[in-house]
Amino acid sequence: QVQLVESGGGLVQAGGSLRLSCAASGRSFSNAVMGWFRQAPGKERQFVAAHMWNGGSTHYADSVKGRFIISRDNAKNTVYLQMNSLKPEDTAVYYCAASTFCTGSGCYSVTTSYNYWGQGTQVTVSS
């Protein structure tokens, strides 16, 4: 059974940092696009960051560019999201996702490109 399990969420003050982890099990995701999405109450799930398997390039939403860093450790089958300079508007449930068929540009930011999802971890940033 394939599972993605996020951890590392919590409550932090504005300006602080958190590091999210997503541990995958059941299969290797070394050749999958790994992404992070977030969903605030009453809003649609939105793209945050993605790490491509073919070349290792990374992509970020404009709202987090320069503050968040996505990385992966294929040996541990784990992807990370380092979140710095957090803002209250970053408050959301953060989801890890994996896509085994996204290969081109643009597909990494679309939820329908991902066929595996974690259960989410809450991040709350207080002002």
Side-chain angles (χ1 to χ4, degrees):
Q1 182 182 358
V2 176
Q3 278 191 312
L4 300 178
V5 180
E6 303 96 335
S7 61
L11 174 63
V12 64
Q13 287 189 331
S17 299
L18 282 175
R19 188 194 194 203
L20 304 183
S21 299
C22 172
S25 60
R27 61 157 289 169
S28 170
F29 286 100
S30 60
N31 62 346
V33 174
M34 301 301 295
W36 286 96
F37 289 75
R38 66 187 182 187
Q39 188 167 17
K43 295 188 176 181
E44 293 187 351
R45 193 168 297 188
Q46 61 176 199
F47 169 73
V48 175
H51 192 292
M52 310 300 284
W53 67 271
N54 49 345
S57 60
T58 56
H59 304 279
Y60 298 93
D62 287 344
S63 58
V64 307
K65 203 170 292 183
R67 300 188 297 122
F68 290 12
I69 301 172
I70 186 172
S71 61
R72 68 197 292 171
D73 185 335
N74 287 334
K76 295 182 179 180
N77 221 17
T78 300
V79 64
Y80 306 95
L81 186 68
Q82 177 67 44
M83 305 186 295
N84 302 319
S85 302
L86 283 161
K87 304 175 181 179
E89 52 262 44
D90 294 320
T91 295
V93 177
Y94 282 71
Y95 296 91
C96 170
S99 173
T100 58
F101 57 87
C102 172
T103 59
S105 62
C107 61
Y108 55 80
S109 64
V110 180
T111 57
T112 53
S113 295
Y114 292 81
N115 44 339
Y116 296 101
W117 290 86
Q119 81 290 349
T121 185
Q122 176 70 45
V123 171
T124 302
V125 184
S126 63
S127 56

